[in-house]
Amino acid sequence: MTIWCDVSARSFDSAGMPTVTMIGGGQLARMTHQAAVALGQRLRVLAERPDDPAAQVTPEVVLGSHTDLAALRKAAVGSHAVTFDHEHVPTEHLAALVAEGVNVQPPPGALIYAQDKLAMRRKLSELGVPVPAFAPVESPADAAAFAAEHGPFVLKAVRGGYDGRGVWMLDGPAEAERVARDQLAHGVTLLAEQRVDLRRELSAMVARSPFGQAATWPVVETVQRDGQCAVVLAPAPDLPAALAAEAETLALRLAQELGVTGAMAVELFETRDGAILVNELAMRPHNSGHWGMDGAVTGQFEQHLRAVLDYPLGDTSPLAPVTVMANILGAAQAPAMSMDERLHHLFARLPEAKVHLYGKGERPNRKIGHINILGDDVAEVREKAERAAHWMSHAVWTDGWDPHE
């Protein structure tokens, strides 16, 4: 069956404001909806379930899968721009939408470098951008050979992995061969990357419009735990000005050369000898940019909407010397105390905390929200933010404070 959508008839609301469709109904779409409300726009989401975070709050919801071209077409009808809260839409579906006149931002020709890690590595190498040594893994022998040449390395799923999933830290040829054989047998396309002796991980966020205007935020440090972002320090402490400028310039260059529109995170490794290597690209709002919701003049969600609609971009200047973002991650066992009561006690103790909850059920290590705290001293602000996030996850204060005393 062929479904045709008249995408030439753009949908304006009664105030003459545009409609943006976001594919995916997760927390990124939920927070983009908050920004759209402030701008007087409508955000339509393609969500898989009515209880997805964005579907809970957005009045325009199309239920369906991002792998279903018919659902994508339905969600796109009348939109001024179609964008994403994840990179998992099949490239061929996006190409079909573009051929039918849908304004897809970022375009599939750019998004492929966030969808396919091997394509990204090859393109960045072609551009002369520093990346870890890498190789495709098409057989268990390829993995073993890479381990023999490079020592401990990282095996990655070329598509679909995130937050530590689809990533295996391997130490030797025998282990490499075993894991590769298992994953290849399950149809996973694999990539081997040299394990980097890194000082820390950084992120350079950039936004770019179809017109070509671009803006960066300060480079931040991302603190990973069990392969998942736990804390973001903005700006990255003790980052030399020259290295910060290099990272921002690299993000601007990649956005231009890859044809990126909207927000993009360039995840980086800072090595112990003071160099930077590109780890991953995310062409959408990103966890490392959540600090800007409260800590920058223009946060990433508003900026993403401005960019995909080709508006002039906003000021990205920080509002305080330090902003720390701490993710609220589900505890091994959800506390008996309700989230509402936890929030009550948090505000009583730390009224400066800015809390963003995603409307998600609690389960171990699931991102269910984040907290931003602004201040002057990075150690003090970080301690507060992490203490607050732990309280919201576990209903336990790390310093033993009892809210009932």
Side-chain angles (χ1 to χ4, degrees):
M1 179 176 66
T2 301
I3 300 176
W4 174 255
C5 298
D6 180 10
V7 297
S8 62
R10 307 299 187 194
S11 175
F12 289 92
D13 66 12
S14 59
M17 297 301 290
T19 295
V20 173
T21 290
M22 185 164 259
I23 307 304
Q27 64 260 27
L28 299 181
R30 182 185 178 106
M31 291 181 278
T32 305
H33 170 69
Q34 294 174 242
V37 169
L39 298 177
Q41 300 167 0
R42 290 193 297 183
L43 187 81
R44 180 187 303 150
V45 299
L46 176 63
E48 293 192 353
R49 294 169 296 276
D51 62 346
D52 282 351
Q56 296 173 24
V57 298
T58 308
E60 283 200 58
V61 180
V62 175
L63 292 177
S65 171
H66 61 273
T67 62
D68 181 353
L69 181 55
L72 292 166
R73 284 173 166 145
K74 182 178 180 182
V77 172
S79 295
H80 291 70
V82 171
T83 189
F84 313 94
D85 91 336
H86 62 72
E87 295 96 347
H88 307 314
V89 182
T91 311
E92 61 271 19
H93 289 359
L94 297 179
L97 293 180
V98 171
E100 294 165 9
V102 178
N103 179 29
V104 176
Q105 302 290 348
L111 191 64
I112 186 64
Y113 300 115
Q115 296 175 317
D116 187 310
K117 295 178 177 64
L118 185 56
M120 180 266 290
R121 283 281 178 257
R122 286 170 169 160
K123 182 64 174 179
L124 267 54
S125 295
E126 177 187 316
L127 294 173
V129 173
V131 297
F134 70 95
V137 173
E138 298 173 350
S139 70
D142 290 340
F146 194 88
E149 180 180 358
H150 295 282
F153 75 101
V154 185
L155 187 69
K156 292 184 176 181
V158 167
R159 284 179 175 259
Y162 67 99
D163 280 350
R165 284 165 278 191
V167 177
W168 300 268
M169 308 293 283
L170 305 177
D171 292 322
E175 184 185 22
E177 192 168 350
R178 176 182 59 79
V179 175
R181 179 178 292 109
D182 178 67
Q183 294 302 316
L184 291 168
H186 288 86
V188 180
T189 306
L190 297 171
L191 164 72
E193 291 183 0
Q194 185 175 21
R195 199 181 300 182
V196 176
D197 182 22
L198 59 100
R199 179 188 173 209
R200 57 181 170 177
E201 296 191 40
L202 305 171
S203 178
M205 287 285 305
V206 62
R208 182 175 177 271
S209 69
F211 179 75
Q213 185 187 12
T216 60
W217 287 267
V219 177
V220 302
E221 178 179 347
T222 61
V223 180
Q224 312 290 320
R225 293 179 186 143
D226 298 323
Q228 189 175 29
C229 180
V231 178
V232 172
L233 312 175
D238 303 317
L239 183 65
L243 201 59
E246 180 183 344
E248 290 189 38
T249 300
L250 176 60
L252 290 166
R253 178 192 167 201
L254 288 176
Q256 179 181 5
E257 297 213 31
L258 300 180
V260 175
T261 50
M264 177 174 71
V266 181
E267 298 179 64
L268 301 162
F269 295 136
E270 181 187 356
T271 65
R272 296 193 185 279
D273 59 1
I276 54 173
L277 304 174
V278 174
N279 177 25
E280 304 275 0
L281 301 178
M283 294 180 194
R284 51 170 171 77
H286 188 256
N287 200 177
S288 66
H290 289 355
W291 69 274
M293 295 177 73
D294 304 297
V297 174
T298 308
Q300 63 171 342
F301 299 101
E302 177 183 337
Q303 195 81 303
H304 186 72
L305 288 169
R306 289 194 190 207
V308 301
L309 289 169
D310 217 5
Y311 286 11
L313 299 182
D315 182 357
T316 56
S317 301
L319 295 173
V322 174
T323 302
V324 175
M325 187 283 302
N327 278 323
I328 302 171
L329 303 173
Q333 183 172 348
M337 184 184 294
S338 71
M339 184 65 75
D340 179 60
E341 187 177 354
R342 280 175 261 169
L343 188 63
H344 178 102
H345 289 301
L346 174 67
F347 284 157
R349 189 174 189 197
L350 293 172
E352 67 270 38
K354 304 294 289 185
V355 181
H356 302 270
L357 296 174
Y358 304 154
K360 293 166 120 179
E362 296 180 70
R363 64 171 184 245
N365 295 318
R366 189 185 200 190
K367 290 179 184 175
I368 53 179
H370 71 270
I371 292 173
N372 289 330
I373 296 185
L374 285 64
D376 298 313
D377 180 81
V378 65
E380 177 185 343
V381 177
R382 178 176 179 176
E383 193 277 332
K384 284 184 180 180
E386 293 204 61
R387 188 196 323 155
H390 188 275
W391 164 256
M392 292 298 292
S393 297
H394 298 81
V396 174
W397 290 105
T398 53
D399 60 357
W401 188 76
D402 185 348
H404 297 293
E405 287 186 356

